[in-house]
Amino acid sequence: MELYDDNPTIDFLKQDKKIDEDKQGNVFFKEELVDTSNQKKFYIESYGCAMNFSDSEIVASILLESGFHPTKNMEESDLILINTCSIREKAEATVRKRLRIFDKAKRNKPGTLVGVLGCMAERLKTKLLEQEKLVDLVVGPDAYRDLPKLISTAEEGDKGVNVFLSREETYADISPIRLQSNGVSAFISIMRGCDNMCSFCVVPFTRGRERSRDAFSIIAEANDLFNQGFREVTLLGQNVDSYKWENPETKETVNFAHLLEMTAKVNPLLRIRFSTSHPKDITDEVIHTMNKHHNICKYIHLPVQSGNSRILKLMNRTYDREWYMERVNSIYKIMPDCAISADIITGFCSETEEEHQETLSIIEFAKYTMSYMFFYSERPGTLAAKKYPDDIPLEVKKRRLSEVIDVQTRISLESNKKDIGKTFEVLIEGVSKRSDLDFKGRNSQNKMIIFPVVEGYQPGDYINVKVNEVSSATLKGIAIA
Ligand code: 5AD
Ligand code: SF4
């Protein structure tokens, strides 16, 4: 599951540039935290999936507790952290580029520590220290509680390394410091790790075994966020449908459908989203629960990866084309107004042109409102790297990707055109990037809608907007009273 952008690009050529422009996660923090003249300061950037952004908020909380204060200015920081992604080779290359920049900051301010957190830290472990001489700290996703100790070790001139993966850690008791927040939407991590072993994916190796967080701590966090003025929470996990937590007192098991319902009941004005669903695990119970509660958004991110059953088998996705189509039919049958999006990989090992055509046709079948689309990038240590040759030439992978993007763009535009003349309830997130005269917000289906600012309304308010113009990526409209 990944967070790519507010308004995801479907132009893969722009993708890396966008990461550089948009994903430099300079921390945002509330003014009252900023009287920091004499205190040590940390600066943190996050790359990759929503889970990484959420983890950085846990890291910020741990560091604040131990006397560090956040800064948006790398030059003045004593500790530069980068929370990294290993999912594709490009993601790691971006991180290495950023490390070159940190090197300069470190030379200008001797004593500054540089730490690599997250998936790349876990994947490369101490190898990272050999490859990147400037790195002082290497901390895996389950070791953030150890950061204060590791920082002390590094301050004394040794390297601070902890890449142990845990079977229990969920950081349930830590209140995340909301970074880069718009004050309206927040992530809540509900589980960690992944047990699925998709053959292309490095995540099970970098984030370890799947474990679910205490349901009551999730509800308490949602309540807190609502009381602070937040109006939307996204429940995060690599595979939310396999969420399972046993109440130690009653021995009752809370599954994902129950958790959704409990979160929906926090307040009818709190919107609930979630990501990522796995096609093999999403149940009708979850779909019915979504349908029952107005404040559970009618949007499911349901990565298909490929539309061909043989490739899905090689990918170890444990469902086939027919199973996936049945799940899509079930969603539309129970919730005709639900939007579905996907992740798609082109040019996986041995994929033929005919098999690629089946990916194009499943986009048409499922009518995705949008997709995150990638060409296959072999990751060391994964099942696919061990078992299957990466035999599709790069030009072919890229050509197939651009065909996927073309079909998706057409389907997105068709879907958006159907919205012209409809009125949607929109949660205002802020002013639009392009103009202060426009608000931006999303409808339940997760489509971004831009509309002229209305006096008396502010971010966090709900407003009805009638759509009058669309592109493949955005809707435009006018608020109606
Ligand atoms: N190559 C290309 N894309 C990948 N993804 C995961 N691993 C790879 C890889 N090796 C994509 C999948 C996944 C999303 C988060 O990233 O589509 O759902
Ligand atoms: Fe990777 Fe598959 Fe787990 Fe998603 S479900 S994190 S693609 S192994």
Side-chain angles (χ1 to χ4, degrees):
M1 153 229 55
E2 295 217 12
L3 170 90
Y4 302 99
D5 194 14
D6 274 349
N7 202 348
T9 178
I10 39 174
D11 180 350
F12 73 96
L13 297 171
K14 283 191 206 144
Q15 229 166 49
D16 295 318
K17 191 155 170 285
K18 276 195 97 52
I19 286 177
D20 284 337
E21 285 168 0
D22 297 343
K23 291 289 174 275
Q24 291 178 21
N26 294 5
V27 293
F28 179 89
F29 45 91
K30 289 193 186 142
E31 285 307 314
E32 64 261 33
L33 295 176
V34 194
D35 180 20
T36 60
S37 27
N38 296 322
Q39 269 143 338
K40 285 194 197 157
K41 297 187 181 69
F42 73 94
Y43 166 91
I44 188 164
E45 288 184 5
S46 308
Y47 292 84
C49 67
M51 189 64 92
N52 259 7
F53 283 73
S54 173
D55 278 3
S56 292
E57 299 184 335
I58 288 167
V59 167
S61 176
I62 291 169
L63 291 178
L64 205 68
E65 278 284 300
S66 69
F68 276 85
H69 281 258
T71 173
K72 290 190 227 179
N73 180 359
M74 184 205 304
E75 264 74 43
E76 67 163 19
S77 67
D78 306 279
L79 173 63
I80 302 176
L81 297 173
I82 182 160
N83 199 347
T84 60
C85 173
S86 284
I87 200 117
R88 284 169 289 276
E89 207 177 318
K90 266 270 152 64
E92 290 201 353
T94 307
V95 168
R96 289 190 194 272
K97 261 192 245 156
R98 292 303 296 161
L99 288 174
R100 303 281 95 79
I101 308 281
F102 299 164
D103 201 11
K104 277 189 214 143
K106 192 168 166 151
R107 268 187 267 132
N108 289 340
K109 190 167 180 276
T112 306
L113 298 177
V114 172
V116 177
L117 315 179
C119 289
M120 234 172 125
E122 193 62 51
R123 193 178 82 74
L124 294 165
K125 303 187 169 63
T126 48
K127 239 192 260 167
L128 197 57
L129 296 173
E130 292 150 30
Q131 292 168 0
E132 303 285 349
K133 298 281 181 245
L134 81 154
V135 172
D136 306 289
L137 296 161
V138 176
V139 189
D142 287 344
Y144 297 144
R145 284 182 204 269
D146 213 18
L147 261 166
K149 202 179 92 208
L150 297 169
I151 293 167
S152 305
T153 309
E155 281 170 343
E156 282 156 22
D158 288 327
K159 301 287 181 187
V161 182
N162 186 343
V163 288
F164 287 113
L165 286 173
S166 154
R167 278 176 175 259
E168 285 94 35
E169 182 62 271
T170 58
Y171 301 110
D173 56 316
I174 294 183
S175 294
I177 301 290
R178 304 292 162 183
L179 305 169
Q180 285 193 311
S181 169
N182 61 6
V184 177
S185 324
F187 294 126
I188 301 183
S189 166
I190 63 162
M191 59 204 294
R192 300 180 70 81
C194 184
D195 282 350
N196 282 326
M197 289 307 224
C198 299
S199 65
F200 52 78
C201 188
V202 77
V203 167
F205 305 98
T206 60
R207 289 192 159 268
R209 300 305 296 268
E210 187 178 289
R211 61 223 102 117
S212 296
R213 176 179 167 189
D214 176 330
F216 295 128
S217 75
I218 296 169
I219 301 307
E221 193 172 328
N223 247 313
D224 257 16
L225 285 164
F226 185 81
N227 293 334
Q228 287 168 42
F230 286 84
R231 290 295 173 264
E232 183 174 83
V233 295
T234 303
L235 307 180
L236 287 182
Q238 246 72 38
N239 177 8
V240 290
D241 300 287
S242 61
Y243 176 88
K244 199 169 161 206
W245 179 77
E246 191 186 275
N247 183 334
E249 276 152 34
T250 62
K251 299 288 172 214
E252 270 170 343
T253 299
V254 178
N255 68 15
F256 185 56
H258 306 148
L259 182 72
L260 266 182
E261 176 136 337
M262 286 160 73
T263 323
K265 285 181 176 164
V266 165
N267 194 296
L269 287 177
L270 183 69
R271 269 187 175 179
I272 320 300
R273 298 188 183 278
F274 54 90
S275 189
T276 296
S277 301
H278 197 300
K280 81 175 159 67
D281 292 321
I282 188 166
T283 57
D284 283 354
E285 188 189 7
V286 164
I287 306 170
H288 283 296
T289 307
M290 289 176 73
N291 194 36
K292 201 165 115 193
H293 295 274
H294 175 74
N295 58 333
I296 305 182
C297 291
K298 304 299 174 276
Y299 169 67
I300 301 177
H301 183 57
L302 195 68
V304 67
Q305 312 298 359
S306 164
N308 172 263
S309 296
R310 188 186 73 91
I311 293 295
L312 288 169
K313 190 151 203 252
L314 294 186
M315 287 177 162
N316 200 25
R317 290 289 288 177
T318 69
Y319 56 84
D320 60 11
R321 181 180 173 92
E322 284 62 44
W323 173 278
Y324 187 90
M325 288 165 88
E326 189 281 322
R327 291 289 74 207
V328 167
N329 282 335
S330 191
I331 293 167
Y332 286 144
K333 193 166 156 226
I334 298 167
M335 293 183 295
D337 65 337
C338 190
I340 306 178
S341 63
D343 291 348
I344 295 171
I345 299 177
T346 66
F348 187 67
C349 314
S350 79
E351 183 190 65
T352 65
E353 288 301 329
E354 292 71 36
E355 289 165 342
H356 162 62
Q357 289 298 323
E358 288 204 74
T359 297
L360 298 181
S361 70
I362 211 153
I363 301 174
E364 307 243 8
F365 170 82
K367 296 192 177 55
Y368 300 125
T369 50
M370 63 104 172
S371 291
Y372 298 108
M373 297 158 281
F374 317 97
F375 60 78
Y376 174 57
S377 157
E378 187 180 81
R379 308 307 294 130
T382 55
L383 294 182
K386 286 184 195 148
K387 277 168 71 178
Y388 314 121
D390 180 13
D391 54 0
I392 307 299
L394 187 61
E395 323 82 79
V396 177
K397 288 179 180 174
K398 284 189 173 173
R399 195 252 304 145
R400 289 180 190 169
L401 177 58
S402 61
E403 288 172 11
V404 162
I405 290 168
D406 285 349
V407 173
Q408 181 59 66
T409 308
R410 177 165 55 75
I411 299 292
S412 299
L413 184 61
E414 277 171 24
S415 159
N416 290 350
K417 275 186 180 162
K418 285 195 192 131
D419 292 337
I420 294 178
K422 288 189 192 161
T423 298
F424 293 102
E425 183 182 62
V426 170
L427 174 61
I428 305 173
E429 289 178 19
V431 289
S432 124
K433 264 186 211 159
R434 295 225 175 112
S435 161
D436 300 354
L437 302 177
D438 288 333
F439 273 142
K440 64 172 180 180
R442 282 164 210 274
N443 65 6
S444 176
Q445 288 72 13
N446 205 35
K447 290 188 182 178
M448 183 65 89
I449 308 190
I450 310 290
F451 57 99
V453 164
V454 186
E455 220 179 294
Y457 281 82
Q458 55 185 20
D461 288 342
Y462 289 94
I463 189 165
N464 287 325
V465 179
K466 185 169 181 182
V467 174
N468 54 22
E469 198 189 322
V470 301
S471 70
S472 61
T474 336
L475 312 181
K476 283 188 178 168
I478 298 181
I480 53 172

